[in-house]
Amino acid sequence: MDINSKLIKALHSRTDEYLSGTEIAVELGVSRTAVWKHIEQIRSVGYEIEAVPHLGYRLVKIPDKLLPDEIERGLKTSVIGKKILVYEKCSSTSDVAEEIARSGGKEGTVIFAEHQTNGRGRLGRKWISYKGKDILCSVILRPYMTPQNSSLITIIAAASVCEVLREFGILAGIKWPNDIVVKGRKIGGILTEINTEMDRINYVILGIGLNVNSSLKNLSSKVVKTATSMIHETENKVDRIETVRKLLKFMDHKYEELKRGKYSEIMRECIDFSETLGRVVKIRSGKKVYAGYAQDFDDSGALNLRKDDGAVEKVVSGELI
């Protein structure tokens, strides 16, 4: 932990009183002059710190930014979130995660961005987001499982997002295979990219986009009819740090279940959140179009469609049309 991180931790520990420059200097093992320098450094990223002569320093307000020190504070996870990186701007968090994973980056590393210049969703679609408003992240995973079961990773991420949203009073569901919706409007999405070798997974880049404090006023008239955000649903600005901590906690728990092979339990959660089951649907998968009644999911995450003749077709991937 660097000195600035230690200073932030110290200020958080005594938000209701002042910390003298001498106390901070002793705790950090630096001079009084160095304390002032580090106070100015953390102010420069947006922390509001009150300084009173003869009393010391007091943390007044933290910035509305996805800062590693704030995300990690109080975060207790086994795998996901053990290392957190935040970029002010990048092409996409998945691009950064891919580069890190190829270089041997540790499982559980999470990359956040305040702004993406080339965010993407499934099938090469562009993911639109607004600087400093939403949650844009990618997680590096190295699961010991076959590629055939990799759709379960998308499912645990989607279910985790739904659980977070419901803690904020937002009744969200999963539109198969990877969209998070509220009353039919998209609030988030999952993009899972897999690097495989023979019949094993080298690594997975799990991308998550969640509309948090984006105003619908900024969207085109076409998009506004199909999208929503947490601030729109709750009518209140949402604490992104709190939201991120909840998301990482839920994902970590579900990933542990996945590693223990609890596929049936995971699929039961997916069924609870599903906005697709129980409907007659059409699905485009590659050049084929499937039609039928969305009956259930198997333990690998595939959707079972019952056709008019009573036969059941298993659809592993595709897009509802």
Side-chain angles (χ1 to χ4, degrees), residues 44-237:
S44 70
V45 296
Y47 285 90
E48 188 176 328
I49 298 168
E50 184 180 32
V52 177
H54 311 299
L55 289 178
Y57 304 95
R58 184 172 68 90
L59 180 61
V60 177
K61 186 178 180 182
I62 65 173
D64 181 18
K65 291 182 177 180
L66 298 177
L67 299 170
D69 287 311
E70 295 304 325
I71 296 171
E72 292 168 358
R73 189 168 55 84
L75 181 65
K76 296 178 181 178
T77 54
S78 298
V79 177
I80 296 176
K82 299 308 286 185
K83 182 175 183 180
I84 292 174
L85 303 172
V86 179
Y87 289 76
E88 189 67 27
K89 182 171 74 172
C90 64
S91 58
S92 78
T93 59
S94 291
D95 289 343
V96 176
E98 174 73 28
E99 185 176 342
I100 293 172
R102 280 203 313 267
S103 301
K106 291 184 179 180
E107 179 177 57
T109 299
V110 187
I111 296 94
F112 291 91
E114 290 287 13
H115 178 56
Q116 293 184 144
T117 58
N118 191 32
R120 63 183 187 273
R122 288 183 74 243
L123 306 176
R125 295 192 179 99
K126 189 173 180 63
W127 183 271
I128 299 172
S129 61
Y130 296 94
K131 184 176 180 180
K133 298 292 184 181
D134 303 317
I135 292 173
L136 310 165
C137 69
S138 292
V139 186
I140 298 172
L141 298 174
R142 299 184 184 273
Y144 187 74
M145 62 191 300
T146 64
Q148 289 74 23
N149 289 323
S150 60
S151 60
L152 290 168
I153 296 172
T154 301
I155 288 167
I156 64 170
S160 296
V161 174
C162 287
E163 289 207 38
V164 171
L165 291 171
R166 293 193 177 197
E167 289 214 346
F168 284 89
I170 302 170
L171 296 180
I174 304 170
K175 178 183 175 184
W176 189 87
N178 72 320
D179 286 345
I180 314 301
V181 297
V182 178
K183 293 172 279 192
R185 293 185 172 190
K186 187 170 180 177
I187 195 169
I190 314 296
L191 176 64
T192 307
E193 299 173 309
I194 306 170
N195 181 287
T196 62
E197 183 179 334
M198 298 296 288
D199 198 37
R200 71 182 184 88
I201 294 173
N202 290 328
Y203 59 82
V204 176
I205 304 301
L206 176 60
I208 300 173
L210 179 61
N211 301 334
V212 181
N213 289 321
S214 290
S215 171
L216 299 188
K217 296 175 184 177
N218 298 325
L219 300 176
S220 68
S221 58
K222 181 180 179 181
V223 175
V224 77
K225 294 178 181 178
T226 60
T228 189
S229 64
M230 293 179 72
I231 192 172
H232 179 76
E233 295 298 325
T234 63
E235 298 183 348
N236 288 295
K237 186 177 180 181

Side-chain angles (χ1 to χ4, degrees), residues 174-176 267-281 292-298 301-305 320:
I174 304 170
K175 178 183 175 184
W176 189 87
M267 290 316 304
R268 279 200 294 272
E269 287 187 346
C270 182
I271 289 169
D272 289 341
F273 288 122
S274 178
E275 297 281 328
T276 302
L277 294 183
R279 296 170 48 208
V280 175
V281 297
Y293 177 79
Q295 180 173 285
D296 59 19
F297 299 104
D298 69 14
L303 177 63
N304 289 323
L305 283 184
L320 291 171

Side-chain angles (χ1 to χ4, degrees), residues 277-310:
L277 294 183
R279 296 170 48 208
V280 175
V281 297
K282 283 187 177 181
I283 299 170
R284 180 181 290 113
S285 181
K287 295 182 179 180
K288 293 190 67 175
V289 174
Y290 301 92
Y293 177 79
Q295 180 173 285
D296 59 19
F297 299 104
D298 69 14
D299 282 354
S300 71
L303 177 63
N304 289 323
L305 283 184
R306 190 176 73 234
K307 300 192 291 187
D308 290 342
D309 62 2

